[in-house]
Amino acid sequence: MSAERIVDVALEMVDHDGVDGLTMRGVAAKLGVAVTAIYWHVGDKEALLDAVADRVAAEVGGIRVTGADPVTRIVSLGRSLRRNLLERAHLVAIAHQQGRTAAVFQPARRVLVRELTAAGLRGADAAFSVQAVLALVSGSVLTQVQVERAPESRDKPEELWTIGDVAAAPDLLEFLADPIDPEQLFTRSLDTLVRGLVASRPGP
Amino acid sequence: MSAERIVDVALEMVDHDGVDGLTMRGVAAKLGVAVTAIYWHVGDKEALLDAVADRVAAEVGGIRVTGADPVTRIVSLGRSLRRNLLERAHLVAIAHQQGRTAAVFQPARRVLVRELTAAGLRGADAAFSVQAVLALVSGSVLTQVQVERAPESRDKPEELWTIGDVAAAPDLLEFLADPIDPEQLFTRSLDTLVRGLVASRPGP
DNA sequence: ACCTGAACACCGTTCAAGT
DNA sequence: ACCTGAACACCGTTCAAGT
Protein backbone atom coordinates (compact mmCIF):
# COMPACT_ATOMS: atom_id res chain seq x y z
CA MET A 1 0.00 0.00 0.00
CA SER A 2 1.21 3.45 -0.96
CA ALA A 3 -0.17 6.74 -2.23
CA GLU A 4 1.23 5.84 -5.62
CA ARG A 5 -0.67 2.59 -5.91
CA ILE A 6 -3.86 4.31 -4.83
CA VAL A 7 -3.49 6.93 -7.54
CA ASP A 8 -2.73 4.11 -9.99
CA VAL A 9 -6.07 2.41 -9.53
CA ALA A 10 -7.93 5.72 -9.20
CA LEU A 11 -6.58 6.83 -12.55
CA GLU A 12 -7.51 3.49 -14.02
CA MET A 13 -11.07 3.81 -12.76
CA VAL A 14 -11.45 7.35 -14.12
CA ASP A 15 -9.97 6.35 -17.48
CA HIS A 16 -12.43 3.49 -17.76
CA ASP A 17 -15.65 4.84 -16.25
CA GLY A 18 -15.23 8.60 -16.03
CA VAL A 19 -15.17 10.81 -12.98
CA ASP A 20 -18.45 9.45 -11.67
CA GLY A 21 -16.99 5.95 -11.75
CA LEU A 22 -14.45 6.88 -9.11
CA THR A 23 -15.51 6.21 -5.52
CA MET A 24 -13.39 5.99 -2.40
CA ARG A 25 -15.02 2.69 -1.57
CA GLY A 26 -14.39 1.39 -5.06
CA VAL A 27 -10.70 2.23 -4.88
CA ALA A 28 -10.42 0.53 -1.50
CA ALA A 29 -12.22 -2.57 -2.72
CA LYS A 30 -9.95 -2.83 -5.76
CA LEU A 31 -6.94 -2.71 -3.43
CA GLY A 32 -8.45 -5.22 -0.99
CA VAL A 33 -8.26 -2.76 1.85
CA ALA A 34 -10.61 -0.86 4.15
CA VAL A 35 -11.97 2.45 2.85
CA THR A 36 -10.41 4.42 5.64
CA ALA A 37 -6.90 3.37 4.63
CA ILE A 38 -7.19 5.67 1.62
CA TYR A 39 -7.68 8.64 3.90
CA TRP A 40 -4.46 7.98 5.70
CA HIS A 41 -2.39 7.91 2.51
CA VAL A 42 -3.88 10.58 0.25
CA GLY A 43 -6.46 12.45 2.29
CA ASP A 44 -10.05 13.01 1.19
CA LYS A 45 -11.57 12.65 -2.26
CA GLU A 46 -10.64 16.15 -3.38
CA ALA A 47 -7.00 15.38 -2.62
CA LEU A 48 -7.26 12.12 -4.54
CA LEU A 49 -8.73 13.93 -7.54
CA ASP A 50 -5.88 16.43 -7.39
CA ALA A 51 -3.32 13.64 -7.29
CA VAL A 52 -4.95 11.96 -10.29
CA ALA A 53 -5.03 15.27 -12.17
CA ASP A 54 -1.33 15.80 -11.49
CA ARG A 55 -0.55 12.40 -12.92
CA VAL A 56 -2.69 13.07 -15.97
CA ALA A 57 -0.89 16.37 -16.55
CA ALA A 58 2.40 14.48 -16.52
CA GLU A 59 1.35 11.60 -18.77
CA VAL A 60 -1.06 13.08 -21.31
CA GLY A 61 -0.62 15.76 -23.96
CA GLY A 62 2.07 14.38 -26.25
CA ILE A 63 2.32 15.71 -29.80
CA ARG A 64 3.86 14.93 -33.13
CA VAL A 65 4.71 17.49 -35.78
CA THR A 66 4.98 16.72 -39.48
CA GLY A 67 5.10 18.71 -42.70
CA ALA A 68 7.38 21.19 -44.39
CA ASP A 69 5.83 24.65 -44.39
CA PRO A 70 4.92 26.41 -41.12
CA VAL A 71 1.14 26.31 -41.55
CA THR A 72 1.12 22.58 -42.27
CA ARG A 73 3.34 21.89 -39.27
CA ILE A 74 1.24 23.92 -36.86
CA VAL A 75 -2.00 22.36 -38.10
CA SER A 76 -0.47 18.90 -37.75
CA LEU A 77 0.57 19.78 -34.21
CA GLY A 78 -2.98 20.80 -33.33
CA ARG A 79 -4.48 17.69 -34.88
CA SER A 80 -1.99 15.45 -33.13
CA LEU A 81 -2.65 17.06 -29.77
CA ARG A 82 -6.39 16.89 -30.21
CA ARG A 83 -6.26 13.20 -31.14
CA ASN A 84 -4.03 12.45 -28.17
CA LEU A 85 -6.37 14.18 -25.74
CA LEU A 86 -9.51 12.58 -27.14
CA GLU A 87 -7.98 9.13 -26.69
CA ARG A 88 -8.05 9.73 -22.94
CA ALA A 89 -11.07 11.99 -22.82
CA HIS A 90 -12.08 11.06 -19.26
CA LEU A 91 -8.62 11.85 -17.96
CA VAL A 92 -8.53 15.18 -19.74
CA ALA A 93 -11.91 16.03 -18.25
CA ILE A 94 -10.67 15.40 -14.72
CA ALA A 95 -7.48 17.39 -15.28
CA HIS A 96 -9.59 20.27 -16.55
CA GLN A 97 -11.99 19.98 -13.63
CA GLN A 98 -9.12 20.15 -11.15
CA GLY A 99 -7.64 23.21 -12.83
CA ARG A 100 -4.64 21.51 -14.46
CA THR A 101 -5.50 22.30 -18.06
CA ALA A 102 -2.52 24.57 -18.55
CA ALA A 103 -0.19 21.83 -17.34
CA VAL A 104 -1.68 19.33 -19.79
CA PHE A 105 -0.99 21.76 -22.63
CA GLN A 106 2.50 22.61 -21.49
CA PRO A 107 4.48 20.23 -23.75
CA ALA A 108 2.47 21.34 -26.78
CA ARG A 109 2.87 24.98 -25.81
CA ARG A 110 6.63 24.74 -25.86
CA VAL A 111 6.73 23.14 -29.31
CA LEU A 112 4.14 25.57 -30.56
CA VAL A 113 6.27 28.52 -29.53
CA ARG A 114 9.10 27.13 -31.61
CA GLU A 115 6.92 26.53 -34.67
CA LEU A 116 5.26 29.93 -34.53
CA THR A 117 8.63 31.61 -34.20
CA ALA A 118 9.79 29.65 -37.22
CA ALA A 119 6.70 30.92 -39.01
CA GLY A 120 7.91 34.46 -38.44
CA LEU A 121 5.70 35.54 -35.54
CA ARG A 122 7.24 37.63 -32.76
CA GLY A 123 6.41 39.17 -29.41
CA ALA A 124 2.79 39.77 -28.53
CA ASP A 125 1.56 38.34 -31.82
CA ALA A 126 3.34 35.06 -31.19
CA ALA A 127 2.10 34.92 -27.59
CA PHE A 128 -1.47 35.49 -28.70
CA SER A 129 -1.15 32.89 -31.45
CA VAL A 130 0.00 30.27 -28.95
CA GLN A 131 -3.06 30.85 -26.80
CA ALA A 132 -5.41 31.00 -29.79
CA VAL A 133 -4.29 27.67 -31.22
CA LEU A 134 -4.36 25.94 -27.83
CA ALA A 135 -7.77 27.42 -27.05
CA LEU A 136 -9.12 26.00 -30.29
CA VAL A 137 -7.81 22.55 -29.38
CA SER A 138 -9.09 22.82 -25.83
CA GLY A 139 -12.52 23.95 -26.99
CA SER A 140 -12.80 21.19 -29.55
CA VAL A 141 -11.83 18.53 -27.03
CA LEU A 142 -14.09 19.76 -24.25
CA THR A 143 -17.04 20.09 -26.60
CA GLN A 144 -16.59 16.54 -27.78
CA VAL A 145 -15.81 15.06 -24.36
CA GLN A 146 -19.17 15.89 -22.93
CA VAL A 147 -20.90 14.81 -26.10
CA GLU A 148 -19.36 11.39 -25.68
CA ARG A 149 -20.58 11.32 -22.10
CA ALA A 150 -24.15 11.45 -23.37
CA PRO A 151 -23.94 8.89 -26.18
CA GLU A 152 -27.57 9.22 -27.27
CA SER A 153 -27.78 12.93 -27.92
CA ARG A 154 -31.30 14.24 -27.83
CA ASP A 155 -30.62 16.86 -30.47
CA LYS A 156 -31.80 15.91 -33.92
CA PRO A 157 -30.26 18.32 -36.43
CA GLU A 158 -33.10 17.69 -38.86
CA GLU A 159 -35.74 18.73 -36.34
CA LEU A 160 -33.84 21.83 -35.46
CA TRP A 161 -34.06 22.98 -39.04
CA THR A 162 -37.63 22.09 -39.82
CA ILE A 163 -38.92 24.91 -37.65
CA GLY A 164 -38.60 28.59 -38.51
CA ASP A 165 -37.70 30.65 -41.51
CA VAL A 166 -35.62 28.14 -43.41
CA ALA A 167 -36.79 29.86 -46.57
CA ALA A 168 -34.17 32.50 -45.78
CA ALA A 169 -31.40 30.15 -46.91
CA PRO A 170 -32.88 27.18 -48.76
CA ASP A 171 -29.62 26.34 -50.51
CA LEU A 172 -27.99 25.65 -47.13
CA LEU A 173 -30.49 23.10 -45.94
CA GLU A 174 -28.80 20.12 -47.52
CA PHE A 175 -25.48 21.06 -45.93
CA LEU A 176 -26.83 21.97 -42.51
CA ALA A 177 -29.01 18.90 -42.26
CA ASP A 178 -26.25 16.36 -41.77
CA PRO A 179 -23.83 17.22 -38.97
CA ILE A 180 -20.21 17.95 -39.87
CA ASP A 181 -17.54 15.52 -38.73
CA PRO A 182 -15.94 17.13 -35.65
CA GLU A 183 -12.45 16.35 -36.84
CA GLN A 184 -13.03 17.96 -40.23
CA LEU A 185 -14.58 20.96 -38.55
CA PHE A 186 -11.60 21.30 -36.25
CA THR A 187 -8.98 20.83 -38.95
CA ARG A 188 -10.49 23.35 -41.32
CA SER A 189 -11.08 25.89 -38.53
CA LEU A 190 -7.51 25.51 -37.34
CA ASP A 191 -6.19 25.85 -40.88
CA THR A 192 -8.16 29.04 -41.42
CA LEU A 193 -7.08 30.45 -38.07
CA VAL A 194 -3.39 29.66 -38.52
CA ARG A 195 -3.31 31.16 -42.00
CA GLY A 196 -4.80 34.32 -40.60
CA LEU A 197 -2.30 34.41 -37.73
CA VAL A 198 0.71 33.86 -39.93
CA ALA A 199 -0.52 36.38 -42.50
CA SER A 200 -0.64 39.07 -39.80
CA ARG A 201 3.15 39.07 -39.39
CA PRO A 202 5.20 41.93 -40.84
CA GLY A 203 6.43 41.24 -44.34
CA PRO A 204 10.02 40.00 -44.94
CA MET B 1 -47.52 20.96 -7.13
CA SER B 2 -46.79 20.38 -10.79
CA ALA B 3 -43.92 19.27 -12.99
CA GLU B 4 -43.48 22.89 -13.99
CA ARG B 5 -42.95 24.13 -10.45
CA ILE B 6 -40.49 21.32 -9.78
CA VAL B 7 -38.43 22.27 -12.83
CA ASP B 8 -38.65 25.90 -11.69
CA VAL B 9 -36.89 25.27 -8.41
CA ALA B 10 -34.51 22.70 -9.94
CA LEU B 11 -33.37 25.26 -12.50
CA GLU B 12 -32.99 27.80 -9.74
CA MET B 13 -30.81 25.46 -7.74
CA VAL B 14 -28.59 24.61 -10.71
CA ASP B 15 -28.26 28.27 -11.67
CA HIS B 16 -27.17 29.12 -8.16
CA ASP B 17 -25.04 26.16 -7.06
CA GLY B 18 -24.23 24.21 -10.21
CA VAL B 19 -25.19 20.67 -11.15
CA ASP B 20 -23.82 19.25 -7.92
CA GLY B 21 -26.07 21.59 -5.95
CA LEU B 22 -29.14 19.84 -7.30
CA THR B 23 -30.49 16.97 -5.20
CA MET B 24 -33.87 15.32 -5.30
CA ARG B 25 -34.16 15.78 -1.57
CA GLY B 26 -33.22 19.42 -1.85
CA VAL B 27 -35.88 20.11 -4.46
CA ALA B 28 -38.49 18.36 -2.34
CA ALA B 29 -37.49 20.30 0.77
CA LYS B 30 -37.70 23.61 -1.08
CA LEU B 31 -41.23 22.71 -2.15
CA GLY B 32 -42.21 21.53 1.31
CA VAL B 33 -43.06 18.10 0.06
CA ALA B 34 -41.86 14.50 0.44
CA VAL B 35 -39.00 13.42 -1.81
CA THR B 36 -41.04 10.74 -3.45
CA ALA B 37 -43.57 13.23 -4.79
CA ILE B 38 -40.95 14.37 -7.29
CA TYR B 39 -40.78 10.89 -8.75
CA TRP B 40 -44.49 10.87 -9.47
CA HIS B 41 -44.37 14.15 -11.42
CA VAL B 42 -41.11 14.09 -13.35
CA GLY B 43 -39.59 10.64 -12.87
CA ASP B 44 -36.05 10.04 -11.70
CA LYS B 45 -33.13 12.45 -11.55
CA GLU B 46 -32.08 11.89 -15.14
CA ALA B 47 -35.56 12.90 -16.27
CA LEU B 48 -35.41 15.98 -14.08
CA LEU B 49 -32.06 16.96 -15.56
CA ASP B 50 -33.50 16.52 -19.04
CA ALA B 51 -36.46 18.72 -18.18
CA VAL B 52 -34.15 21.41 -16.80
CA ALA B 53 -31.96 21.19 -19.92
CA ASP B 54 -35.02 21.62 -22.15
CA ARG B 55 -35.99 24.73 -20.28
CA VAL B 56 -32.45 26.09 -20.52
CA ALA B 57 -32.43 25.49 -24.27
CA ALA B 58 -35.61 27.52 -24.56
CA GLU B 59 -34.55 30.42 -22.34
CA VAL B 60 -30.83 30.87 -22.93
CA GLY B 61 -28.84 31.74 -26.04
CA GLY B 62 -30.13 35.16 -27.07
CA ILE B 63 -27.95 37.37 -29.26
CA ARG B 64 -27.59 40.93 -30.43
CA VAL B 65 -25.94 42.01 -33.65
CA THR B 66 -24.42 45.42 -34.24
CA GLY B 67 -22.07 46.98 -36.77
CA ALA B 68 -22.11 47.82 -40.45
CA ASP B 69 -19.76 45.52 -42.34
CA PRO B 70 -20.23 41.73 -42.32
CA VAL B 71 -17.12 40.86 -40.30
CA THR B 72 -17.97 43.34 -37.55
CA ARG B 73 -21.53 42.08 -37.38
CA ILE B 74 -20.55 38.41 -37.16
CA VAL B 75 -17.91 39.10 -34.52
CA SER B 76 -20.42 41.11 -32.49
CA LEU B 77 -22.85 38.20 -32.77
CA GLY B 78 -20.25 35.80 -31.39
CA ARG B 79 -19.30 38.13 -28.56
CA SER B 80 -22.91 38.71 -27.65
CA LEU B 81 -23.69 35.01 -27.62
CA ARG B 82 -20.62 34.20 -25.57
CA ARG B 83 -21.47 36.86 -22.99
CA ASN B 84 -25.04 35.64 -22.77
CA LEU B 85 -23.97 32.04 -22.18
CA LEU B 86 -21.33 32.92 -19.61
CA GLU B 87 -23.91 34.83 -17.57
CA ARG B 88 -25.68 31.54 -16.97
CA ALA B 89 -22.66 29.26 -17.07
CA HIS B 90 -24.11 26.59 -14.78
CA LEU B 91 -27.22 26.31 -16.91
CA VAL B 92 -25.20 26.06 -20.10
CA ALA B 93 -23.13 23.31 -18.53
CA ILE B 94 -26.20 21.24 -17.70
CA ALA B 95 -27.70 21.73 -21.17
CA HIS B 96 -24.42 20.56 -22.67
CA GLN B 97 -24.23 17.60 -20.31
CA GLN B 98 -27.74 16.51 -21.30
CA GLY B 99 -26.97 16.79 -25.02
CA ARG B 100 -28.97 19.95 -25.74
CA THR B 101 -26.10 22.12 -26.92
CA ALA B 102 -27.37 22.33 -30.48
CA ALA B 103 -30.73 23.55 -29.22
CA VAL B 104 -29.08 26.26 -27.13
CA PHE B 105 -27.27 27.50 -30.20
CA GLN B 106 -30.30 27.35 -32.47
CA PRO B 107 -31.39 31.02 -32.29
CA ALA B 108 -27.83 32.16 -32.94
CA ARG B 109 -27.45 29.68 -35.77
CA ARG B 110 -30.38 31.10 -37.63
CA VAL B 111 -29.14 34.68 -37.39
CA LEU B 112 -25.64 33.56 -38.27
CA VAL B 113 -26.85 31.93 -41.48
CA ARG B 114 -28.37 35.24 -42.48
CA GLU B 115 -25.23 37.24 -41.69
CA LEU B 116 -22.89 34.84 -43.45
CA THR B 117 -25.11 34.84 -46.51
CA ALA B 118 -25.02 38.62 -46.45
CA ALA B 119 -21.24 38.35 -46.28
CA GLY B 120 -21.28 36.49 -49.58
CA LEU B 121 -20.82 32.91 -48.40
CA ARG B 122 -22.81 30.17 -50.11
CA GLY B 123 -23.46 26.46 -49.94
CA ALA B 124 -20.95 24.23 -48.19
CA ASP B 125 -18.70 27.17 -47.32
CA ALA B 126 -21.51 28.94 -45.51
CA ALA B 127 -22.55 25.75 -43.71
CA PHE B 128 -19.01 25.14 -42.52
CA SER B 129 -18.63 28.75 -41.41
CA VAL B 130 -21.74 28.49 -39.27
CA GLN B 131 -20.37 25.47 -37.47
CA ALA B 132 -16.88 26.96 -37.14
CA VAL B 133 -18.09 30.18 -35.51
CA LEU B 134 -20.46 28.36 -33.16
CA ALA B 135 -17.75 25.84 -32.26
CA LEU B 136 -15.43 28.67 -31.31
CA VAL B 137 -18.09 30.17 -29.04
CA SER B 138 -18.93 26.78 -27.56
CA GLY B 139 -15.29 25.99 -26.92
CA SER B 140 -14.60 29.32 -25.30
CA VAL B 141 -17.61 29.02 -23.01
CA LEU B 142 -16.95 25.41 -21.98
CA THR B 143 -13.30 26.13 -21.29
CA GLN B 144 -14.21 29.01 -19.05
CA VAL B 145 -17.15 27.33 -17.36
CA GLN B 146 -15.06 24.64 -15.78
CA VAL B 147 -12.38 27.12 -14.86
CA GLU B 148 -14.96 29.06 -12.89
CA ARG B 149 -15.99 25.84 -11.20
CA ALA B 150 -12.50 25.58 -9.70
CA PRO B 151 -11.99 29.18 -8.58
CA GLU B 152 -8.54 28.64 -7.16
CA SER B 153 -6.76 27.19 -10.16
CA ARG B 154 -3.65 25.30 -9.28
CA ASP B 155 -1.86 26.30 -12.44
CA LYS B 156 0.56 29.14 -12.02
CA PRO B 157 1.55 30.37 -15.49
CA GLU B 158 4.83 31.71 -14.13
CA GLU B 159 5.86 28.34 -12.79
CA LEU B 160 4.97 26.66 -16.03
CA TRP B 161 7.46 28.86 -17.83
CA THR B 162 10.33 28.74 -15.43
CA ILE B 163 11.06 25.14 -16.32
CA GLY B 164 12.52 24.00 -19.61
CA ASP B 165 14.16 25.59 -22.60
CA VAL B 166 12.75 29.06 -22.33
CA ALA B 167 15.94 30.27 -23.94
CA ALA B 168 14.38 29.16 -27.21
CA ALA B 169 12.13 32.21 -27.20
CA PRO B 170 13.28 34.69 -24.59
CA ASP B 171 11.44 37.61 -26.20
CA LEU B 172 8.13 35.84 -25.57
CA LEU B 173 8.55 35.37 -21.88
CA GLU B 174 7.12 38.71 -20.86
CA PHE B 175 4.01 38.11 -22.96
CA LEU B 176 3.48 34.48 -21.99
CA ALA B 177 4.00 35.10 -18.31
CA ASP B 178 0.76 36.96 -17.64
CA PRO B 179 -2.35 35.13 -18.81
CA ILE B 180 -4.39 36.67 -21.61
CA ASP B 181 -7.88 37.91 -20.82
CA PRO B 182 -10.24 35.17 -22.09
CA GLU B 183 -12.56 37.69 -23.70
CA GLN B 184 -9.73 39.35 -25.62
CA LEU B 185 -8.44 35.97 -26.70
CA PHE B 186 -11.87 34.97 -27.93
CA THR B 187 -12.57 38.22 -29.73
CA ARG B 188 -9.30 38.29 -31.59
CA SER B 189 -9.51 34.60 -32.50
CA LEU B 190 -13.01 35.04 -33.80
CA ASP B 191 -12.00 38.11 -35.77
CA THR B 192 -9.12 36.25 -37.38
CA LEU B 193 -11.30 33.23 -38.14
CA VAL B 194 -14.16 35.23 -39.63
CA ARG B 195 -11.84 37.24 -41.86
CA GLY B 196 -10.40 34.01 -43.15
CA LEU B 197 -13.84 32.53 -43.77
CA VAL B 198 -15.14 35.57 -45.60
CA ALA B 199 -11.97 35.90 -47.64
CA SER B 200 -12.44 32.35 -48.94
CA ARG B 201 -15.55 33.29 -50.91
CA PRO B 202 -15.38 33.68 -54.67
CA GLY B 203 -14.62 37.24 -55.75
CA PRO B 204 -17.44 39.55 -56.87
C1' DA C 1 -54.74 10.81 -9.25
C1' DC C 2 -51.62 12.31 -5.98
C1' DC C 3 -48.78 12.09 -1.90
C1' DT C 4 -46.39 9.93 2.32
C1' DG C 5 -43.26 6.76 5.22
C1' DA C 6 -40.38 3.22 5.61
C1' DA C 7 -36.79 0.81 3.73
C1' DC C 8 -32.72 -0.28 0.78
C1' DA C 9 -28.27 0.25 -1.29
C1' DC C 10 -24.88 3.37 -1.95
C1' DC C 11 -22.02 7.48 -0.95
C1' DG C 12 -17.95 10.46 1.78
C1' DT C 13 -15.98 11.15 6.18
C1' DT C 14 -14.62 10.89 11.20
C1' DC C 15 -12.79 8.69 15.08
C1' DA C 16 -11.67 5.55 18.47
C1' DA C 17 -9.43 1.40 18.56
C1' DG C 18 -6.27 -1.96 17.30
C1' DT C 19 -1.21 -3.72 15.90
C1' DA D 1 3.29 4.25 11.37
C1' DC D 2 -0.38 2.01 9.38
C1' DC D 3 -4.83 -0.17 9.13
C1' DT D 4 -9.66 -1.63 10.75
C1' DG D 5 -14.69 -1.28 12.35
C1' DA D 6 -18.34 1.17 13.73
C1' DA D 7 -20.89 5.10 13.17
C1' DC D 8 -22.82 9.37 11.05
C1' DA D 9 -24.94 12.26 7.63
C1' DC D 10 -26.12 12.36 3.13
C1' DC D 11 -27.50 10.49 -1.39
C1' DG D 12 -31.11 8.20 -5.24
C1' DT D 13 -34.77 4.99 -5.66
C1' DT D 14 -38.61 1.57 -4.83
C1' DC D 15 -42.85 0.21 -3.01
C1' DA D 16 -46.61 -0.54 -0.18
C1' DA D 17 -49.80 2.24 1.93
C1' DG D 18 -52.71 5.99 2.51
C1' DT D 19 -56.41 9.64 0.77
Side-chain angles (χ1 to χ4, degrees), chain A residues 131-186:
Chain A
Q131 310 279 16
V133 169
L134 295 183
L136 198 71
V137 175
S138 166
S140 174
V141 170
L142 290 179
T143 300
Q144 208 167 333
V145 162
Q146 299 214 28
V147 164
E148 282 175 0
R149 181 173 173 178
E152 30 190 299
S153 174
R154 301 188 54 239
D155 287 326
K156 300 283 189 337
E158 314 87 58
E159 293 177 14
L160 290 176
W161 279 106
T162 50
I163 44 171
D165 53 347
V166 291
D171 61 321
L172 282 184
L173 259 186
E174 54 174 318
F175 300 104
L176 290 164
D178 48 10
I180 287 182
D181 171 44
E183 178 159 5
Q184 277 189 31
L185 176 62
F186 169 77

Side-chain angles (χ1 to χ4, degrees), chain A residues 26 28 32 37 40 45 51 56 58 78 85 103 108 118 122 129 151 167 178 193 195:
Chain A
W40 196 93
K45 189 168 190 181
V56 171
L85 297 183
R122 294 287 179 275
S129 299
D178 48 10
L193 177 69
R195 286 183 196 282

Side-chain angles (χ1 to χ4, degrees), chain B residues 1 25 33-34 36-37 40-41:
Chain B
M1 275 293 294
R25 293 178 127 99
V33 90
T36 43
W40 196 92
H41 283 286

Side-chain angles (χ1 to χ4, degrees), chain A residues 31-55:
Chain A
L31 286 165
V33 90
V35 206
T36 44
I38 312 289
Y39 286 81
W40 196 93
H41 284 285
V42 297
D44 64 7
K45 189 168 190 181
E46 192 62 26
L48 179 56
L49 289 172
D50 275 339
V52 171
D54 283 344
R55 185 90 127 254

Side-chain angles (χ1 to χ4, degrees), chain A:
Chain A
M1 274 294 295
S2 68
E4 201 182 351
R5 281 198 61 206
I6 293 173
V7 177
D8 281 344
V9 332
L11 189 136
E12 201 177 317
M13 293 177 77
V14 173
D15 196 14
H16 197 263
D17 298 320
V19 197
D20 296 342
L22 175 68
T23 68
M24 303 297 272
R25 293 178 125 101
V27 172
K30 211 158 200 166
L31 286 165
V33 90
V35 206
T36 44
I38 312 289
Y39 286 81
W40 196 93
H41 284 285
V42 297
D44 64 7
K45 189 168 190 181
E46 192 62 26
L48 179 56
L49 289 172
D50 275 339
V52 171
D54 283 344
R55 185 90 127 254
V56 171
E59 292 183 357
V60 153
I63 61 260
R64 253 190 18 194
V65 183
T66 62
D69 67 297
V71 171
T72 306
R73 289 179 66 79
I74 294 168
V75 170
S76 83
L77 185 156
R79 279 166 54 91
S80 163
L81 178 59
R82 176 176 173 278
R83 211 178 307 121
N84 181 306
L85 297 183
L86 282 177
E87 272 170 12
R88 314 265 266 172
H90 288 147
L91 298 183
V92 171
I94 210 181
H96 185 58
Q97 183 186 303
Q98 300 303 115
R100 308 277 344 199
T101 313
V104 169
F105 282 89
Q106 184 54 15
R109 180 181 282 112
R110 195 170 288 141
V111 176
L112 192 50
V113 167
R114 201 207 309 137
E115 296 294 336
L116 285 166
T117 302
L121 288 171
R122 294 287 179 275
D125 285 340
F128 161 70
S129 299
V130 170
Q131 310 279 16
V133 169
L134 295 183
L136 198 71
V137 175
S138 166
S140 174
V141 170
L142 290 179
T143 300
Q144 208 167 333
V145 162
Q146 299 214 28
V147 164
E148 282 175 0
R149 181 173 173 178
E152 30 190 299
S153 174
R154 301 188 54 239
D155 287 326
K156 300 283 189 337
E158 314 87 58
E159 293 177 14
L160 290 176
W161 279 106
T162 50
I163 44 171
D165 53 347
V166 291
D171 61 321
L172 282 184
L173 259 186
E174 54 174 318
F175 300 104
L176 290 164
D178 48 10
I180 287 182
D181 171 44
E183 178 159 5
Q184 277 189 31
L185 176 62
F186 169 77
T187 300
R188 204 169 150 188
S189 293
L190 180 58
D191 189 83
T192 305
L193 177 69
V194 172
R195 286 183 196 282
L197 293 172
V198 170
S200 74
R201 77 184 191 278

